[in-house]
Structure formats: C-alpha cells, structure tokens
Amino acid sequence: MELRLHDTLTREKRTFVPLDPKNVRMYVCGPTVYDFAHIGNARPVIVFDVLFRLLRHLYGEANVKYVRNITDVDDKINDRAARDFPGLPLNEAIRKVTEQTGKQFHADVDALGALRPTVEPRATEHIGEMREIIEKLIAGGFAYVAEDHVLFSPQAMNAANAGLPRYGALSNRSLDEMVAGARVDVAPYKKGNTDFVLWKPSKPGEPSWPSPAGIAAQGRPGWHIECSAMAWKHLGEHFDIHGGGIDLVFPHHENEVAQTCCAFHQQRMANYWMHNGFLQVESEKMSKSLGNFITIHELLKDWPGEVLRLNMLKTHYRSPIDWTMKSLEESAKTLDDWYRIAADAVPGEPDASVVEPLLDDLNTPQAIAALHGLRGNDIAGLAGSLRLLGFLAESAAQWERRKQQASGVDAKEVERLIAERTAARGRKDFKESDRIRDLLATMGVAIKDSKEGTTWEIAR
Ligand code: AMP
Ligand code: ZN
C-alpha cells in the first residue's frame, strides 16, 4: 500500500510521491525559544515525529531529511531577556534566554520520544540567506524598500502571474477580500495594506545585522523570511513536505510560499502542506488567563513522556484534541500493560494492521486500535509496531522502577511488609497476611503470589 497524505493546498488526500526517494525532505516550523513549551506545542513535535519515523521506515533512515528550525530572533525573546536579565546588555541577555529555553525544549521533546530532526537550524545563523532572498525579491519587483524597511507586495506577486502560485491559494483566501478587509491604520511606509515585512530597522540595543539592498541602518528580519531561508539552505528551492500547526497557515505559511516561489521562480515551495489541529485543555482554550496553561515540563513531573505521546496520538492529527486528565489516566494504564507484556520481547516487523492506517494520512487512532488487537495474539508484532511509533524506549524494569519512584512509595518498606506477610502465611496467620495485603493496597501497591514468590507493582 502506498502512503497518502492530506495536503492543505489542494484540500485532498493524495498519494505521496517524493521528488527524490533517496532524499525525502520535510520542514516543520519549530519553537520560538523564550519560555517553556506548552502541551499544544508538543502536538506538531509528536505528529511530525511519527511521520519522520514512518518515512524512514518506508524510504530508509539515510534517505529522509527532517529540518525543524529554532526561532531565536523575536520580540517576545527580547522582552523576556530584558525582564529576566535586566543587568546584562540586551544581546547577552538574549543569548542566555535562547540557550536556556533551547535546552529545556530539547529535554522536553526527548522525553516525549521524539527523534532529533536531521538538522535544527537557528534563524540567527541564516541571516545571510535571508538577505540573499530579499535581494532577489527586490530585483524581481516583488519587494521594495521604504523607510529602512523591506516590504513584500502580494499584489505585485499576483499581478506577475508568471508561473507563480496565487497569493492566498494556500489559506484559501482572495487577495481582493484581504485588501478590502485590511486594517485602516496601516504603517505609512506600506504601499499596499496587505504588504508584509521582510526586514526592519533595529531599535537601539536590539539585535541587529547589516541590512540588505543598500539600507544603511542595521536591521533584523521579519518572522516569515526566516523559514524561507532555512528551508532553502537545508532542503532547496522545492521540497516534499512542509508542516506545522493549523494556526500557521495564514499568514506565516502563505507568506513563506510567496517569498520562496517569487525568489526562485517556483510554482510550489512544498508538494504537501500538512497542518495539525489545535489542542484544548478540558474543553477550554488553553491560556495563561484561564489558568489552564500547561507546560510539557510540568506534565513530565507526573507522567512519563510516552504517556503524553500515546495520549496525543489517540486523536487523528487533523482533528482538534481535548486534553483531559481522564484520558491521560487511561493512556497510562494502556502503556503499563504494553510495557509489561512487550517491552522485553524481541520485536518483530511492525505489523501490517498498524502500518496500513498510518499510510492513510497518519491514522494513529486506528493504528492504536490495531495495537490492542495484536496484544492477545502477536507480542513480537506488537513490540515491533510500538517501536515504529516511538514507544518502548525503556525496559519493563526501568518503567516499573520509574513508576515506583514517581508514586513516592518506599520500595524498601514494601519489601519489608511483603517479607512479614510471607512469614505470616508461613505460620498460617491469614488474618495478619490479609491485613498486610490491605495495607499495601492502601499504599497503591498491588501484589501477586506465584510459585516463585511474591512480586509487586504500583497499581494505577
Ligand atoms: P509557536 O512557538 O507558538 O510558534 O508554536 C510552535 C508550534 O506549536 C507551531 O507549529 C504551532 O502551530 C503549534 N501550536 C501552538 N499552540 C498549539 C495548540 N494549542 N495546539 C496545537 N498546536 C499548537
Ligand atoms: Zn515557519
């Protein structure tokens, strides 16, 4: 069976045909590093990690290149730096913020079982490429300089019409409507009210670089040009898959397409545009003001990363997801079971019943249903399939130990009580042995007796 992916541009599922099966290329917009990532940010990380793993399975590990950027120039970063390190020069403070948040991000997503992308480019290391694209856009008549800014004109793009996509095609909007509906208080240096910034002058103390197009003042890039530059540098002018959250379709991805296609005279930037749906918490939009804003870091204190991963994959990536405590508890029980029976098994090939739904636009809920089906009859297939999906990074013993630690149960005390109970049973004092069993149960410990002796685990 072949891989089919839903493309936001054509609004349909299409068979995936890579431009070069020896070099399958995917770009996903990464985090802006100014704070702990929240559980909504984990969604694209996990979803596109599953796609990365599936592509590697289909085309070979060496033949898939996954690029996920780190945005390290942004107003939010500057604000945070000034707030957290008021005594330091702004540039130094910014470096501290981006280093610290970048490390936190890696620790979080490693715990979620996400493979590191092949390349993780930083915006600040690609300013030269951004200037180059901007120069090309000016030379082509798609961008202009005004008051030390460089602006892109969607109207110039749609007027050119020379083998270029239409501005608005990706987000399914009409430029005329955008023009009519645009805000009236547009910056005075903009010729058209839908023109967007490619480059802008830096304020004193802000990070700054030599500007393109002979602008004397030092400046800094707009957000959209960053991704066009990094994708170009690492994947070329035209590549296979571009992904991110649904909120990025407009304006971010629409503008990326405009910049890249106009600079390089391409009809397409990526052949498949994939967008994950949004995550809500207990049926509410996550926000700091509602007090339901949860970071990955906080969740990892209570739950193993693989539980968060499974919980995320129970919903199809294009559907909205409602993140609930109840669902997390169920995911934890499921993983406990899988760890117990499959983590130490020799994995077989991933089973067709799991791979096939994945090939159908990453239907992970159906793949998970198939895992439940394998549980009773093919443990090797279950183990191999779970590994394909990025589970079972630990041994069964490690998993159990971690659960014991997280539960706060003192393993030595449990062992002592079990020894006492064994002694009580030896002298046929069943009242005492039952009392100890009940005591252990109230501590959240379940015990199992067998010929070999008594074993225990944390009951969820
Ligand atoms: P940001 O750092 O806000 O640019 O977001 C990084 C990535 O997380 C982008 O791909 C966003 O689309 C995605 N994202 C942000 N919030 C959510 C959410 N609540 N649900 C799903 N994805 C999200
Ligand atoms: Zn981007």
Side-chain angles (χ1 to χ4, degrees):
M1 219 180 117
E2 45 195 14
L3 173 61
R4 288 162 61 79
L5 297 175
H6 183 271
D7 178 13
T8 306
L9 175 66
T10 56
R11 284 168 268 285
E12 61 181 1
K13 267 194 246 178
R14 283 188 288 121
T15 300
F16 176 71
V17 184
L19 290 162
D20 174 2
K22 291 257 166 270
N23 183 19
V24 181
R25 286 160 288 166
M26 169 162 81
Y27 186 92
V28 174
C29 294
T32 305
V33 282
Y34 67 99
D35 205 347
F36 281 110
H38 59 68
I39 188 64
N41 300 136
R43 195 167 192 198
V45 170
I46 293 171
V47 162
F48 291 103
D49 179 66
V50 170
L51 181 55
F52 182 37
R53 288 172 184 269
L54 182 64
L55 291 170
R56 284 157 49 111
H57 177 70
L58 297 172
Y59 295 96
E61 281 185 18
N63 301 327
V64 183
K65 189 168 182 185
Y66 173 22
V67 180
R68 185 182 64 211
N69 72 291
I70 289 179
T71 295
D72 58 355
V73 239
D74 188 87
D75 284 339
K76 285 183 284 224
I77 299 174
N78 302 347
D79 295 349
R80 186 71 183 218
R83 195 193 81 187
D84 288 2
F85 303 98
L88 288 183
L90 187 59
N91 278 323
E92 241 174 84
I94 286 171
R95 190 157 9 95
K96 281 210 185 296
V97 169
T98 56
E99 262 176 25
Q100 195 177 312
T101 347
K103 271 200 201 118
Q104 284 161 356
F105 179 74
H106 278 144
D108 287 350
V109 301
D110 288 352
L112 296 173
L115 299 172
R116 293 280 177 101
T118 323
V119 190
E120 270 194 302
R122 288 175 168 265
T124 50
E125 286 161 9
H126 296 76
I127 305 286
E129 286 83 2
M130 296 179 209
R131 274 198 299 260
E132 241 181 283
I133 296 179
I134 292 172
E135 304 266 2
K136 283 181 199 293
L137 291 172
I138 296 173
F142 301 104
Y144 59 93
V145 178
E147 295 185 19
D148 293 341
H149 292 69
V150 184
L151 294 137
F152 184 95
S153 165
Q155 281 163 301
M157 173 180 176
N158 279 7
N161 203 14
L164 295 172
R166 176 178 65 77
Y167 186 86
L170 182 68
S171 55
N172 202 15
R173 289 160 196 241
S174 119
L175 183 55
D176 287 345
E177 278 166 27
M178 286 187 238
V179 170
R183 289 167 32 180
V184 271
D185 58 338
V186 184
Y189 48 80
K190 289 193 182 176
K191 288 186 194 166
N193 59 10
T194 57
D195 297 355
F196 62 87
V197 169
L198 299 174
W199 189 267
K200 58 191 164 191
S202 300
K203 297 195 189 84
E206 278 181 355
S208 66
W209 292 267
S211 295
I215 299 171
Q218 296 255 109
R220 59 193 177 114
W223 172 35
H224 315 302
I225 194 72
E226 297 176 11
C227 285
S228 281
M230 289 183 267
W232 172 44
K233 169 75 186 276
H234 297 284
L235 299 177
E237 298 172 3
H238 179 203
F239 50 94
D240 296 297
I241 300 169
H242 193 315
I246 188 84
D247 58 318
L248 298 185
V249 175
F250 189 85
H252 186 51
H253 290 166
E254 193 72 63
N255 292 352
E256 276 188 43
V257 176
Q259 295 159 162
T260 297
C261 291
C262 291
F264 303 113
H265 309 285
Q266 293 283 345
Q267 182 63 47
R268 310 199 64 163
M269 179 184 186
N271 278 353
Y272 301 81
W273 284 88
M274 296 179 64
H275 293 102
N276 63 269
F278 245 48
L279 175 146
Q280 289 199 318
V281 173
E282 308 282 353
S283 307
E284 280 193 280
K285 185 177 173 329
M286 181 171 34
S287 79
K288 291 215 160 116
S289 57
L290 286 174
N292 64 353
F293 186 90
I294 17 180
T295 62
I296 305 172
H297 185 72
E298 279 299 315
L299 280 167
L300 286 172
K301 290 182 186 161
D302 295 330
W303 308 92
E306 288 187 20
V307 169
L308 308 183
R309 182 180 183 90
L310 175 62
N311 204 48
M312 199 68 87
L313 295 175
K314 287 199 295 200
T315 306
H316 187 261
Y317 78 93
R318 283 196 287 124
S319 304
I321 183 168
D322 190 22
W323 189 265
T324 65
M325 200 46 86
K326 182 164 176 287
S327 169
L328 267 174
E329 280 160 8
E330 282 164 14
S331 300
K333 282 210 182 90
T334 304
L335 263 174
D336 281 348
D337 177 54
W338 285 341
Y339 258 94
R340 207 162 27 231
I341 65 167
D344 296 340
V346 179
E349 278 297 302
D351 196 76
S353 66
V354 175
V355 177
E356 274 173 25
L358 295 177
L359 294 177
D360 181 17
D361 193 31
L362 295 188
N363 191 338
T364 54
Q366 206 175 314
I368 290 168
L371 291 170
H372 289 296
L374 288 173
R375 186 203 180 282
N377 58 47
D378 178 5
I379 299 305
L382 174 64
S385 306
L386 280 167
R387 284 171 198 279
L388 172 67
L389 280 163
F391 295 105
L392 305 187
E394 296 177 4
S395 68
Q398 280 170 325
W399 182 263
E400 189 53 39
R401 204 171 311 129
R402 175 219 277 273
K403 216 167 63 175
Q404 289 168 8
Q405 281 162 0
S407 71
V409 167
D410 177 349
K412 280 222 178 78
E413 175 65 5
V414 173
E415 301 289 353
R416 194 186 62 77
L417 287 167
I418 288 177
E420 260 186 36
R421 177 174 169 271
T422 308
R425 276 155 57 100
R427 56 176 195 270
K428 300 211 179 332
D429 183 351
F430 295 115
K431 208 170 153 208
E432 174 65 359
S433 73
D434 284 352
R435 187 192 67 82
I436 295 173
R437 174 189 283 265
D438 292 348
L439 176 63
L440 286 165
T442 60
M443 292 163 63
V445 173
I447 53 177
K448 209 191 247 166
D449 298 314
S450 70
K451 275 196 220 93
E452 286 76 41
T454 304
T455 55
W456 65 281
E457 61 179 31
I458 303 296
R460 280 220 218 255

